[in-house]
Amino acid sequence: MSNSNISIDTRTIRPGDLFIPIKGPKYDGHDFIPEALRKGARVLETNDGLKSLQEMAAAHRRKFKIPIIGVTGSVGKTTTKDMLASILAQVRPTLKNEENFNNEIGVPLTLLKLTRQHKFAVIEMALQRPGEIAVLAEIVRPTIAVVTNIGEAHLEYLKTKKNVARAKAEIFKYLRRHDWAVINQDDEYFEHLKLRVTGRGLRVMTFGILEKADVTPKEL
């Protein structure tokens, strides 16, 4: 099943689409079921549309044995995601998040676009509150997890940079033995992040400019 036949928005729905009603802060998708039916859509009967969407995406992702890169960080994650996807797309078909599809709704919708043609996927994961990266990581199950850096972008909810580091490190939670963790050697929370992957049989690659790292630019 691909995202082409799954919809959460009746404004873009097409005949034959599966409409999943999601309750948000402003609107309740259940209120739009009659409109979805009028437009020829099928409707998923569920009390928790978001959970159903995420479970469908997780099940769909498990069908694919391909490298999937998860990217998070306080700054630069969208640029990093786009660069990685652009490079990989030169070799084989690559899936990536479009626009701002990097949250609890956008990530599963993106994963549901995976087809047998895709040989790579690069999935950006956004963070606002503690636990969100863990939820996304459980759905995505990245084989390569990248943390660009730890900054002050999320202090409204997380209060301290150390809490941000803890929350970002959740991307490593579902890595399996021999998967890759990619960490910024220059970041002040490098040791904290590295500790989260030590002793798990993971492969670690570091990058940086100031500190000696596995990957360092020769010229800037």
Side-chain angles (χ1 to χ4, degrees), residues 10 32 45 91 93 131 137:
T10 54
F32 297 91
E45 295 185 16
V91 183

Side-chain angles (χ1 to χ4, degrees), residues 10-74:
T10 54
R11 293 172 298 181
T12 58
I13 209 164
R14 297 172 298 181
D17 282 357
L18 175 64
F19 177 68
I20 301 179
I22 293 179
K23 187 174 183 179
K26 295 182 179 180
Y27 303 102
D28 186 343
H30 291 86
D31 297 336
F32 297 91
I33 289 177
E35 182 180 354
L37 292 172
R38 284 197 302 272
K39 291 187 173 182
R42 298 165 294 154
V43 175
L44 181 68
E45 295 185 16
T46 174
N47 292 325
D48 191 336
L50 178 58
K51 184 178 180 181
S52 297
L53 174 67
Q54 293 174 341
E55 289 176 346
M56 289 172 63
H60 184 66
R61 182 265 176 268
R62 288 195 293 269
K63 299 175 184 176
F64 298 86
K65 305 297 183 183
I66 63 172
I68 295 185
I69 304 175
V71 180
T72 194
S74 298

